[in-house]
Amino acid sequence: MTSAMVEHKHGEGFSLEDLTPEEQQLLSSIREKKRQLLEEIQELKKEIDDVTTELEGIDMVEEFKPDPKTKQISIGKKKFNMDPKKGIEYLIEHSLLQDTADDVARFLFQGEGLNKTAIGDYLGERNEFNVDVLKAFVNLHEFSDMILVQALRQFLWSFRLPGEAQKIDRMMECFAERYCEMNQGVFTSTDTCYVLSFAIIMLNTSLHNPSVKDKPTAERFIQMNRGINDGGDLPEDLLVSLYDNIKKEPFKIPEDDGNDLMHTFFNPVKEGWLWKQGGRYKNWKRRWFILNDNCLYYFQYTTDKEPKGIIPLENIQVREVPQDKANKPNCFELYSGGNDIIKACKVDGDGKVVEGRHTVYRMSASNTEEKEEWIRCIKMSINDNPFYDMLAARRKNATGTISSRK
């Protein structure tokens, strides 16, 4: 009896008991095979779905998989953020940048994924190639028909000004030249533009820094800029418009990618172990020191990510200390003169950042050569506000023409 006959017979009211044992066994076998076939079909469908998903995934990976060039560009940007010079060298070596000032400048100007502090440091270097890159970078800015403060906003958004006065001087000189070239007749000389640009930057700080209590007025801003236009005065309405612009909206400082600290410590001027004398208890502790960006940082361990203390090298001096005075060999110290407290900060036992109370910071090196090298490097990094000397020289140039004619 076939299965169709059995099912038909069963459908007419027959039960399994009506079937012979052979028929019952055949029906059971058919149902088992049907069950197995259904399971196999479901399994095949699942395998087909899995294979389809996998193939689609492969297609997506192939579609979005970065090619080797994209990966190398990413590596080059990361290297640049850690060490600008090495990053540029890597990109040039892998033919991702041409070894020309114009191509490097375009790369920095586009700036995608680049640390703004690193851009500023690279542009500020004084070797010939970097200076050419700086000029090409500034020339990529369009300042036509902009008032000076608008041009400054655009310029200072494309990087972060470095701390060194010489770097700032070169960068602002290039800016002044570019602005005067594109806005002829506004100023009689680039020195005038240079001095006024810094007056605007300082005005921004005075108006919007909460710690500055004595806010300058427009009249005071005008008075500060008397005679800077080749000995003559700039139009008062120009100065008032600049003042109002800054008062209404402060400069926006570009946010960085959080890598500033790592950039500072990655390529220091000098680093090494020194013994540091405590302020209150005069005990000596071994600390890892890093000298960079006109600051002296010290850590408890070389693996620490954040320093225990920071000593800005501003308006202080360094000198050797005789062993009989320090009770320790190869000593030197930072001092401010008199009993003035050195501007510094440290992390206390509770992890809070507090102001340092030192009038002197005394350190001891491992040998005479190390001591002398630390003293030499610190002297080179000490900042006695040379920027203001440069600015004074520029102001003298900007105001000297009429005086010399009298």
Side-chain angles (χ1 to χ4, degrees):
M1 181 179 291
T2 65
S3 61
M5 292 171 63
V6 171
E7 293 293 341
H8 179 68
K9 185 175 180 179
H10 182 63
E12 291 178 347
F14 290 96
S15 65
L16 290 176
E17 286 75 14
D18 295 329
L19 301 176
T20 65
E22 291 80 9
E23 290 174 335
Q24 290 182 20
Q25 186 175 359
L26 176 61
L27 179 60
S28 178
S29 175
I30 290 172
R31 286 178 170 171
E32 177 62 22
K33 287 183 178 179
K34 180 181 177 182
R35 186 189 64 77
Q36 291 176 357
L37 282 171
L38 287 172
E39 286 183 356
E40 289 177 5
I41 289 171
Q42 292 298 322
E43 188 66 29
L44 283 171
K45 284 180 66 177
K46 185 176 181 301
E47 289 181 8
I48 290 170
D49 289 342
D50 290 344
V51 170
T52 301
T53 301
E54 187 176 347
L55 289 173
E56 289 175 350
I58 291 173
D59 290 340
M60 289 180 67
V61 169
E62 289 298 323
E63 182 179 352
F64 295 104
K65 182 179 179 181
D67 59 21
K69 182 178 178 181
T70 303
K71 184 177 181 180
Q72 287 176 338
I73 290 175
S74 177
I75 293 172
K77 288 180 177 180
K78 290 178 181 177
K79 284 181 176 289
F80 177 87
N81 290 341
M82 298 292 284
D83 186 323
K85 181 180 177 182
K86 291 181 179 177
I88 295 298
E89 288 175 351
Y90 175 89
L91 291 166
I92 291 174
E93 286 170 5
H94 289 80
S95 302
L96 301 170
L97 278 180
Q98 297 178 33
D99 192 7
T100 65
D102 287 340
D103 205 42
V104 174
R106 278 191 293 271
F107 171 73
L108 301 180
F109 184 74
Q110 291 166 354
E112 185 179 351
L114 299 182
N115 180 293
K116 294 292 182 74
T117 303
I119 294 174
D121 283 344
Y122 186 84
L123 292 172
E125 291 295 333
R126 66 177 181 179
N127 67 67
E128 184 177 350
F129 183 77
N130 290 63
V131 170
D132 289 341
V133 172
L134 170 62
K135 292 177 180 177
F137 178 87
V138 175
N139 287 340
L140 289 171
H141 289 78
E142 178 59 54
F143 297 141
S144 296
D145 300 320
M146 284 187 180
I147 65 170
L148 184 60
V149 69
Q150 290 174 326
L152 275 171
R153 288 187 193 279
Q154 182 192 128
F155 184 58
L156 297 177
W157 182 255
S158 59
F159 66 99
R160 274 189 172 181
L161 275 173
E164 295 89 337
Q166 291 81 6
K167 290 185 177 183
I168 295 174
D169 179 61
R170 283 191 292 274
M171 298 167 93
M172 294 305 296
E173 182 177 25
C174 282
F175 166 80
E177 289 175 353
R178 176 67 170 169
Y179 183 83
C180 290
E181 176 188 341
M182 306 198 76
N183 297 274
Q184 295 187 14
V186 175
F187 302 112
T188 55
S189 72
T190 56
D191 284 326
T192 300
C193 182
Y194 177 104
V195 172
L196 183 58
S197 296
F198 269 112
I200 292 170
I201 292 172
M202 290 187 284
L203 175 67
N204 178 79
T205 301
S206 299
L207 288 177
H208 299 289
N209 188 331
S211 64
V212 178
K213 305 302 181 184
D214 184 19
K215 304 297 183 185
T217 62
E219 290 74 19
R220 183 174 166 191
F221 182 66
I222 292 170
Q223 186 65 35
M224 287 170 55
N225 290 287
R226 294 284 186 199
I228 68 170
N229 196 26
D230 268 356
D233 293 340
L234 291 167
E236 286 196 5
D237 58 347
L238 168 66
L239 296 174
V240 169
S241 69
L242 295 173
Y243 178 92
D244 290 342
N245 192 301
I246 287 295
K247 185 175 182 179
K248 182 178 179 181
E249 183 182 358
F251 282 126
K252 292 180 179 177
I253 304 300
E255 294 292 335
D256 245 320
D257 57 6
N259 204 30
D260 288 352
L261 203 63
M262 181 59 72
H263 173 74
T264 294
F265 301 146
F266 185 78
N267 191 28
V269 174
K270 183 168 176 57
E271 61 183 336
W273 290 105
L274 291 171
W275 289 91
K276 174 183 170 294
Q277 190 175 46
R280 182 180 301 178
Y281 300 109
K282 304 302 180 186
N283 55 332
W284 291 88
K285 292 183 179 179
R286 193 168 181 252
R287 295 286 183 255
W288 179 257
F289 280 79
I290 289 180
L291 174 63
N292 211 21
D293 290 342
N294 304 107
C295 286
L296 193 60
Y297 305 84
Y298 58 91
F299 303 74
Q300 186 170 359
Y301 306 106
T302 57
T303 52
D304 289 349
K305 293 183 178 179
E306 295 185 1
K308 288 189 70 66
I310 303 173
I311 310 169
L313 301 177
E314 295 181 1
N315 301 313
I316 61 175
Q317 301 176 61
V318 59
R319 63 189 172 196
E320 189 174 346
V321 181
Q323 184 171 342
D324 58 344
K325 289 188 177 181
N327 296 321
K328 203 169 181 67
N330 304 310
C331 280
F332 62 93
E333 63 185 15
L334 304 176
Y335 65 101
S336 60
N339 293 317
D340 294 338
I341 293 174
I342 295 174
K343 183 176 70 174
C345 62
K346 63 178 181 179
V347 178
D348 66 10
D350 297 325
K352 296 179 181 178
V353 177
V354 297
E355 289 187 9
R357 306 298 299 172
H358 288 253
T359 56
V360 170
Y361 280 89
R362 183 171 291 177
M363 280 77 73
S364 171
S366 58
N367 54 57
T368 303
E369 291 75 17
E370 271 292 289
K371 175 193 66 178
E372 292 175 351
E373 180 66 9
W374 273 107
I375 292 174
R376 185 187 70 81
C377 290
I378 290 172
K379 282 183 177 179
M380 291 178 60
S381 297
I382 286 175
N383 181 8
D384 289 320
N385 293 328
F387 155 69
Y388 292 103
D389 295 335
M390 292 178 180
L391 188 57
R394 293 277 179 166
R395 179 177 285 275
K396 185 176 180 181
N397 290 339
T399 60
T401 304
I402 285 182
S403 299
S404 63
R405 291 174 183 168
K406 290 181 179 180

